[in-house]
């Protein structure tokens, strides 16, 4: 079922009265899908991207048309569902709770016991895509992204790899793949295939990324493939 329908259900649980906050949204997600972990993950992922995009815009102080278009690339919103998405966006932007509180509450929806949550890594990837849309990730945006990454449990190495991919990707394909420049062809190939498996759209859907957001997987795979081709070309030469 469409994630937009699920957002409509979320607002039905929240009700039309009172002022919604991240805490009431988190509890509504738990209430509505307490026995359905898969749907709960999908809704939490969608809320994380929409709400944290709003918080990032507030932290930066400026929302450019390029950033709006980047948001719409990640999530192509049917006209009839726009109200639900932008209601959630407005709630997050108005909420007095800081983005750190939002990130901590949304981190609660990660499943498993590992420190690094793949689902939240996907959220951060989407935020990077929006932040760089105007051609420059501003200092306040980068600080925002770095703090969100730490709350989500990403290692410094994982964050640096993501940053290289979005900001300096073509200049350092080794950083994109997360390998040393001295890695052998076999090591490079092994790492590349591992990343392909990890980032296949089916894998993302399995960990809770709604199909409406699979643009993220497509862009990530483009960067991984480009980096591998650059390294393979150097080796062949």
């Amino acid at each position: 079922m469409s994630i937009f329908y699920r957002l409509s259900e979320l607002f039905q649980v929240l009700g039309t009265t009172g002022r919604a906050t991240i805490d009431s949204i988190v509890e509504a997600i738990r209430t509505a899908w307490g026995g359905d972990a898969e749907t709960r993950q999908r809704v939490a992922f969608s809320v994380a991207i929409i709400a944290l995009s709003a918080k990032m815009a507030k932290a930066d102080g400026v929302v450019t048309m390029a950033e709006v278009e980047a948001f719409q690339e990640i999530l192509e919103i049917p006209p009839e569902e726009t109200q639900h998405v932008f209601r959630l966006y407005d709630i997050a932007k108005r909420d007095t709770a800081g983005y750190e509180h939002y990130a901590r509450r949304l981190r609660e929806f990660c499943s498993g016991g590992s420190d690094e949550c793949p689902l939240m890594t996907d959220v951060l990837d989407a935020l990077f895509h929006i932040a760089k849309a105007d051609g420059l990730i501003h200092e306040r945006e980068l600080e925002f992204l770095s703090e969100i990454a730490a709350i989500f449990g990403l290692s410094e190495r994982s964050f640096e790899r993501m940053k290289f991919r979005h900001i300096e990707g073509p200049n350092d394909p080794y950083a994109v793949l997360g390998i040393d420049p001295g890695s052998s062809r076999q090591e490079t190939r092994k790492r590349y295939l591992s990343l392909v498996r990890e980032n296949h759209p089916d894998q993302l859907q399995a960990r809770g990324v709604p199909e409406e957001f699979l643009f993220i997987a497509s862009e990530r795979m483009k960067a991984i493939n480009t980096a591998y081709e650059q390294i393979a070309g150097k080796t062949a030469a």
Side-chain angles (χ1 to χ4, degrees):
M1 190 168 290
S2 165
I3 194 59
F4 300 108
Y5 179 80
R6 297 305 187 189
L7 289 178
S8 173
E9 289 183 323
L10 174 62
F11 281 113
Q12 288 175 25
V13 176
L14 282 169
T16 55
T17 60
R19 184 171 176 178
T21 64
I22 185 59
D23 294 312
S24 63
I25 290 169
V26 167
E27 294 312 313
I29 294 172
R30 293 192 192 284
T31 300
W33 298 285
D36 185 352
E38 181 180 346
T39 300
R40 189 169 63 245
Q41 291 277 87
R42 293 176 68 242
V43 175
F45 177 88
S46 306
V47 167
I49 288 184
I50 296 166
L52 288 173
S53 294
K55 285 298 187 185
M56 184 166 66
K58 190 173 181 180
D60 181 45
V62 179
V63 179
T64 67
M65 183 54 66
E67 288 173 335
V68 172
E69 291 171 354
F71 181 83
Q72 292 172 334
E73 281 180 335
I74 292 170
L75 180 58
E76 190 172 339
I77 311 167
E80 66 274 15
E81 301 293 348
T82 301
Q83 60 175 328
H84 299 303
V85 174
F86 284 99
R87 183 183 169 192
L88 180 54
Y89 189 94
D90 287 340
I91 287 170
K93 204 167 181 184
R94 291 196 317 265
D95 195 350
T96 56
Y99 64 83
E100 300 92 343
H101 184 64
Y102 266 63
R104 290 189 190 98
R105 291 309 314 264
L106 293 163
R107 175 74 171 80
E108 295 172 16
F109 289 103
C110 285
S111 59
S114 62
D115 291 333
E116 195 163 307
C117 176
L119 186 64
M120 292 295 108
T121 301
D122 298 328
V123 170
L124 191 65
D125 221 357
L127 294 175
F128 256 110
H129 179 75
I130 295 167
K132 72 178 183 183
D134 57 2
L136 175 68
I137 295 185
H138 301 278
E139 185 177 341
R140 278 176 293 180
E141 289 175 321
L142 193 56
E143 181 182 344
F144 173 95
L145 293 165
S146 177
E147 291 189 23
I148 294 293
I151 293 168
F152 283 173
L154 268 72
S155 66
E156 287 187 20
R157 179 167 183 170
S158 294
F159 180 73
E160 286 300 311
R161 211 176 89 226
M162 189 178 292
K163 186 171 75 171
F164 268 111
R165 177 154 51 80
H166 283 283
I167 302 175
E168 304 174 39
N171 299 324
D172 195 343
Y174 298 97
V176 173
L177 297 187
I179 59 174
D180 296 324
S183 298
S184 67
R185 291 178 65 179
Q186 291 79 7
E187 290 170 331
T188 301
R189 176 78 176 165
K190 182 178 179 181
R191 175 61 177 164
Y192 167 70
L193 293 176
S194 174
L195 288 172
V196 169
R197 285 192 298 271
E198 288 174 18
N199 295 287
H200 190 278
D202 290 346
Q203 190 69 14
L204 268 71
Q205 285 186 290
R207 63 187 183 229
V209 177
E211 61 182 304
E212 292 88 349
F213 285 93
L214 289 182
F215 173 86
I216 299 166
S218 174
E219 289 300 294
R220 190 183 296 166
M221 284 306 307
K222 284 180 188 176
I224 291 169
N225 286 332
T226 298
Y228 179 71
E229 287 166 6
Q230 288 175 332
I231 295 171
K234 290 179 183 178
T235 305

